[in-house]
Amino acid sequence: MAPILGPAFVAAIAYVDPGNVATNLTAGATYGYLLVWVVVVASLVAILVQFQAAKLGTATGKSLPQLCRERLPRWGTRLLWVQAEVVVLATDLAEFVGAAIGMRLLFGMPVAMSAAVTAVVSLLLLELRRQGRTRRFELMSAAALLLVGAGIGYDILVVGNQSAAGLAGGLLPGFHGADSLVLAMGIVGATVMPHAVYLHSALVQGRGLSAEAARRDPGLVRRALRLDCVLALGIATVVNVSMIALGAGLGAATGGSWTGDLVAAHGELAGRIGGLAALAFAVALLSSGISSSGVGTLAGDVVMHGFLGWRVPAHVRRIVTMAPAVLALTLGVPLTGLLVASQVVISLGVPVALFLLVWFCRDRSLMGPLVNAPLTTRIAGATGALVAALGVCLPFTLFF
């Protein structure tokens, strides 16, 4: 089982990126524990989705975008590539903004410099994987995941103002007005990440286990992939719920004057609790942004190569994708609102990735003994339909 374990921790970084930090803290600050159930349900869906993505890549030896290019019309593949690139661009925007905020809080860096440093560090992380040091890349991803969790967890302890009853009540589904629905969509987009689906189906390849060998022992493969996904995404779920709890606690501590802004959160922590709490928050945010930016660049390469068969040098792709973030930072666009908006855009790409995944995983001729059970197909299909319905409702919620 050991060679199979690890890719889920890389994918899990996408589930604790700065978009998650922004949406979850905003949800906690404005609605308390109301949307905890959204995080939990979305995380359960994410575990199911990433398990299927890993299973697809293992059973076929190909990524989800590659299978689309082979089995769908060329015009359809091009359309899928465009929407996937929009998702990756929105993801990169969130990750760069988050890392830039973290560097500004920690080191007082100017905007342009922080963006450049983020690009360089993310490229160095990718270089580990390009040189074949895949296990080091996965271990660094796991360390980043734990570092984010440690920073948020420490701040929860020192901020206090938590309510066990409120947290338990947040597990009951419910909304409070249109704004809470928008935030819920942002949480879904930040939690069920389409680019992580494409990426995970590629990460499981080249690990000393061919598709033929995987089909000879499907039970072992299922157990290994399930363990990998449950462990990695289970940690990410705890971290995301902790972000909402921190937002609720800090919102209560400020009497409702703080409503989720990341820069203001650092100031509130420094002024009310102390420098160590502010430092833990900034380190968690920076770790989240840098690690997820590397994963985002890797996902972009998988998307372009899979759908189109093209490869663009990583540094060229990084320069192109960082441009919108640098522009937004330079123009002084409200950063937390930009992060939340990027997650809403990402949520609109979720149904596409889920539909493609379910469609291929139900095909016995493609998956062999690792094909989805009928019940799994029905659950995944219903989940995708629900997310799609929420996406259709979102524009009406925003404009009417």
Side-chain angles (χ1 to χ4, degrees):
M1 292 173 65
I4 306 176
L5 302 177
F9 282 91
V10 179
I13 288 297
Y15 292 83
V16 293
D17 72 358
N20 291 84
V21 179
T23 52
N24 291 329
L25 286 181
T26 302
T30 53
Y31 297 104
Y33 304 98
L34 176 69
L35 299 179
V36 167
W37 70 274
V38 178
V39 173
V40 173
V41 172
S43 298
L44 292 176
V45 172
I47 292 174
L48 173 63
V49 167
Q50 296 301 147
F51 171 65
Q52 289 186 89
K55 193 171 60 169
L56 179 69
T58 303
T60 64
K62 298 175 182 177
S63 69
L64 179 56
Q66 285 176 313
L67 290 171
C68 291
R69 177 160 53 93
E70 291 179 1
R71 292 172 170 258
L72 297 177
R74 185 175 181 181
W75 63 268
T77 303
R78 294 297 175 92
L79 288 177
L80 289 173
W81 169 70
V82 170
Q83 66 83 31
E85 287 289 358
V86 171
V87 167
V88 171
L89 187 62
T91 303
D92 275 340
L93 178 65
E95 291 156 355
F96 261 96
V97 169
I101 293 174
M103 287 186 182
R104 190 169 74 183
L105 296 178
L106 278 175
F107 309 115
M109 280 188 181
V111 171
M113 183 181 295
S114 64
V117 171
T118 301
V120 171
V121 174
S122 63
L123 288 174
L124 290 176
L125 290 175
L126 290 176
E127 189 67 16
L128 289 177
R129 191 172 189 275
R130 193 185 69 81
Q131 293 180 356
R133 300 174 181 177
T134 302
R135 191 58 85 181
R136 290 189 183 182
F137 183 75
E138 292 167 354
L139 289 174
M140 292 184 70
S141 298
L145 178 63
L146 295 176
L147 183 59
V148 175
I152 298 297
Y154 174 78
D155 281 343
I156 287 177
L157 292 177
V158 296
V159 169
N161 290 283
Q162 297 298 317
S163 169
L167 183 62
L171 295 174
L172 298 175
F175 295 105
H176 186 70
D179 288 342
S180 67
L181 178 59
V182 174
L183 263 180
M185 281 298 300
I187 291 172
V188 171
T191 307
V192 186
M193 302 290 280
H195 79 293
V197 174
Y198 301 127
L199 177 61
H200 202 169
S201 65
L203 289 175
V204 294
Q205 301 167 30
R207 308 184 66 83
L209 183 70
S210 65
E212 292 75 17
R215 294 183 182 211
R216 286 196 296 269
D217 196 351
L220 175 65
V221 171
R222 289 177 189 272
R223 289 194 299 273
L225 296 179
R226 189 180 299 118
L227 175 62
D228 197 29
C229 292
V230 169
L231 184 59
L233 296 174
I235 295 174
T237 301
V238 173
V239 174
N240 279 314
V241 172
S242 299
M243 291 176 188
I244 286 190
L246 175 60
L250 191 56
T254 60
S257 61
W258 175 75
T259 57
D261 183 80
L262 298 182
V263 177
H266 182 267
E268 293 287 353
L269 288 169
R272 294 175 180 272
I273 309 299
L276 188 57
L279 176 64
F281 178 78
V283 168
L285 183 60
L286 180 60
S287 176
S288 167
I290 289 180
S291 58
S292 59
S293 67
V295 171
T297 299
L298 187 59
D301 183 60
V302 168
V303 163
M304 178 171 285
H305 178 64
F307 282 121
L308 302 181
W310 301 346
R311 283 199 186 278
V312 174
H315 65 279
V316 174
R317 184 174 186 90
R318 177 47 74 206
I319 291 172
V320 172
T321 55
M322 69 185 279
V326 173
L327 180 63
L329 291 167
T330 304
L331 294 177
V333 176
L335 300 182
T336 302
L338 187 63
L339 287 174
V340 174
S342 71
Q343 302 312 297
V344 174
V345 172
I346 292 170
S347 73
L348 300 178
V350 173
V352 178
L354 291 186
F355 173 79
L356 293 171
L357 193 61
V358 173
W359 181 260
F360 287 128
C361 286
R362 62 183 283 278
D363 187 347
R364 182 172 292 276
S365 65
L366 181 66
M367 298 291 293
L370 289 170
V371 66
N372 272 357
L375 179 60
T376 303
T377 298
R378 286 195 290 269
I379 293 174
T383 301
L386 177 60
V387 174
L390 289 174
V392 171
C393 292
L394 182 62
F396 294 96
T397 302
L398 290 174
F399 300 113
F400 298 102

